[in-house]
Amino acid sequence: MDHEPTTINKLIELPSLDDPKISPNGKYVAYTVTIPDWEKDEFISHIYLVATDGKSEPRQLTFGEIGNSLPRWSPDSQYLIFLSERNDDEGAQIYRLALAGGEAERLTTLKTSISRVAYAPDGDSIAFVAVPPETPRQKKRRETYGDY
């Protein structure tokens, strides 16, 4: 029986499952699967969905070369919001995906990246964390003195 030795590259290529979130109605779990993109020298995450009854296979909800992260359920279990940097985004933005299907809809257009996101308990609003955009004074200082 010939077995190839395990290498660090093979270990890195193992998919990493993270950030499982059970829907409020208890019927689904959304989670991320992260794999390496060797050409871009980065890790790419996508969002998957699986029913909690165990009767169906997981299905991938997000695709493409850009990663997606932090899936969060709406209180009515009809939508997932998540972070992604797509097309002309200047940083990670909030997107919303209807569980019934369709394309993800961008909800924010900030000039900086969002790092955390959550639905309000009533589902009427979304809270998020983002660094404020650079002021003209800060930009001038950075251009003059660098990042130091």
Side-chain angles (χ1 to χ4, degrees):
M1 235 177 171
D2 284 338
H3 293 287
E4 289 185 38
T6 301
T7 65
I8 190 68
N9 285 358
K10 287 183 181 179
L11 291 174
I12 291 171
E13 287 177 353
L14 289 174
S16 171
L17 283 60
D18 195 24
D19 203 17
K21 298 295 177 203
I22 299 173
S23 62
N25 65 11
K27 293 182 180 181
Y28 299 99
V29 176
Y31 60 96
T32 59
V33 175
T34 304
I35 57 171
D37 183 330
W38 293 106
E39 290 179 18
K40 290 184 177 179
D41 194 25
E42 63 187 23
F43 288 93
I44 304 293
S45 296
H46 286 292
I47 299 170
Y48 283 71
L49 182 73
V50 66
T52 56
D53 64 10
K55 295 180 182 178
S56 60
E57 293 293 315
R59 68 180 168 121
Q60 187 172 348
L61 295 180
T62 61
F63 297 87
E65 297 176 12
I66 305 297
N68 305 277
S69 63
L70 297 175
R72 300 295 183 257
W73 288 99
S74 63
D76 63 4
S77 301
Q78 298 300 307
Y79 296 95
L80 274 172
I81 55 172
F82 60 93
L83 299 182
S84 186
E85 188 173 340
R86 302 176 177 200
N87 305 322
D88 59 347
D89 293 344
E90 294 189 43
Q93 301 297 314
I94 301 172
Y95 283 80
R96 181 174 67 179
L97 184 64
L99 216 55
E103 289 293 317
E105 164 190 21
R106 183 173 59 190
L107 299 181
T108 58
T109 55
L110 300 179
K111 301 233 182 261
T112 62
S113 286
I114 296 170
S115 61
R116 296 281 181 249
V117 64
Y119 262 104
D122 64 5
D124 287 340
S125 57
I126 296 170
F128 62 88
V129 175
V131 175
E134 193 174 50
T135 65
R137 182 177 178 188
Q138 291 168 327
K139 183 177 180 181
K140 183 177 180 183
R141 180 178 173 83
R142 183 180 47 78
E143 289 170 352
T144 303
Y145 300 109
D147 288 328
Y148 182 76

